[in-house]
Amino acid sequence: MGERPTEVAHAGAEPTVVREPAWVRAGVWVVPPPLGAGVLWGLKSISGWIASLSWFPAQGVFRLVSEIAEPYATAGAVALGLVAGLVLSAIIASEQLTVTVSHREVRWRRDGKEGGVDRGRIASVFVDRKALVLLDAAGAELARETSDLARERLRDAFRAHGYPWRDEGDPFEHDYRLWVDGTDELSATANALLRERQRALREDEDDEARVLRAELAKLGVFVREEKKRQYWRTKPEVSGERASSG
């Protein structure tokens, strides 16, 4: 299955905006609320039966629901489901990434927070798995932002503004090593940050994981994860020739 299209809007030298297409952004708000209402309505409908199953968890809740008079039980279940769906919609929408590429800089926005890098600092741009990565000439990571944005649309946006896009991906792919707590090659501070980031990944605390990634980058340690395992590398001591697009 191919990547779904991602909206790209640009005109000449104007900034290019890459984001999820309109139908995806609308669907985020259209689908979860009725889905949530339907799920809770369904659970309410079988609450009496569930309350009769001695082995089922949270029986007290289902017994209480089954005793609520109609139409209040149904109305309450539907209303609560709608609210839960809206909360889920807001969470999904906040996690969507928007990237704006211009001749002067690259900017991105997620969850009301913005970041950016001046063009002059960027020596390499590529997608590593599902992450957009920007490197400087020395191989240091300037940004690593994960999203569902289509690789082809990101490539077209950066190439349209003359950025050094790498189709072949990360020039430092083979420099990453699996992190093991207490790794001798890393400082005690770096190991402590990686330990805390491992906890954040395990508990799905994405914002905390991003903050800790930034702190590690300040120490010259760059990290990526696969199935919640962390892999790390440091900035090469040699010149950044491999980070250029060649």
Side-chain angles (χ1 to χ4, degrees):
M1 181 180 296
E3 294 172 314
R4 70 168 180 261
T6 303
E7 184 174 295
V8 177
H10 63 89
E14 292 299 311
T16 302
V17 179
V18 186
R19 57 183 177 179
E20 296 288 1
W23 67 268
V24 172
R25 300 197 306 273
V28 164
W29 293 100
V30 171
V31 175
L35 182 61
V39 168
L40 286 196
W41 175 83
L43 288 175
K44 172 265 165 194
S45 300
I46 61 174
S47 60
W49 173 68
I50 293 177
S52 70
L53 302 176
S54 59
W55 52 268
F56 202 89
Q59 274 202 323
V61 174
F62 287 100
R63 190 175 298 112
L64 177 62
V65 170
S66 67
E67 293 173 354
I68 299 175
E70 291 292 1
Y72 305 109
T74 297
V78 170
L80 186 59
L82 286 171
V83 171
L86 284 170
V87 170
L88 178 60
S89 293
I91 293 172
I92 296 173
S94 70
E95 286 298 308
Q96 291 181 335
L97 181 70
T98 298
V99 179
T100 303
V101 185
S102 73
H103 287 295
R104 294 181 299 177
E105 63 179 355
V106 178
R107 301 201 63 81
W108 57 89
R109 184 176 70 255
R110 187 205 305 271
D111 197 15
K113 301 173 185 175
E114 294 193 15
V117 178
D118 290 338
R119 179 193 177 126
R121 299 179 60 196
I122 300 173
S124 182
V125 187
F126 55 91
V127 170
D128 179 23
R129 294 160 178 84
K130 297 182 74 172
L132 173 66
V133 183
L134 311 179
L135 301 182
D136 69 12
E141 253 183 35
L142 301 172
R144 177 180 285 268
E145 293 292 331
T146 302
S147 76
D148 289 322
L149 298 176
R151 180 193 302 260
E152 288 83 359
R153 298 308 180 93
L154 287 168
R155 178 198 62 201
D156 292 347
F158 279 96
R159 283 183 171 174
H161 292 277
Y163 283 81
W165 178 270
R166 288 181 56 92
D167 275 325
E168 58 271 41
D170 193 344
F172 302 103
E173 168 77 24
H174 301 296
D175 291 351
Y176 282 91
R177 290 175 280 175
L178 177 66
W179 175 70
V180 178
D181 198 354
T183 296
D184 291 337
E185 295 96 325
L186 296 173
S187 67
T189 300
N191 272 306
L193 288 170
L194 283 162
R195 191 178 306 119
E196 182 62 16
R197 190 170 186 274
Q198 187 68 62
R199 180 203 61 77
L201 290 173
R202 188 168 54 248
E203 298 178 9
D204 295 321
E205 296 180 359
D206 295 339
D207 286 343
E208 181 69 8
R210 280 194 285 268
V211 169
L212 291 167
R213 180 197 297 281
E215 291 301 311
L216 284 160
K218 293 176 183 177
L219 299 177
V221 178
F222 310 108
V223 61
R224 70 184 185 191
E225 59 274 353
E226 298 176 25
K227 298 181 179 178
K228 299 192 178 182
R229 291 181 178 179
Q230 297 187 102
Y231 293 78
W232 65 276
R233 72 169 176 87
T234 55
K235 185 169 67 174
E237 295 181 1
V238 295
S239 69
E241 291 181 359
R242 284 189 297 168
S244 66
S245 63

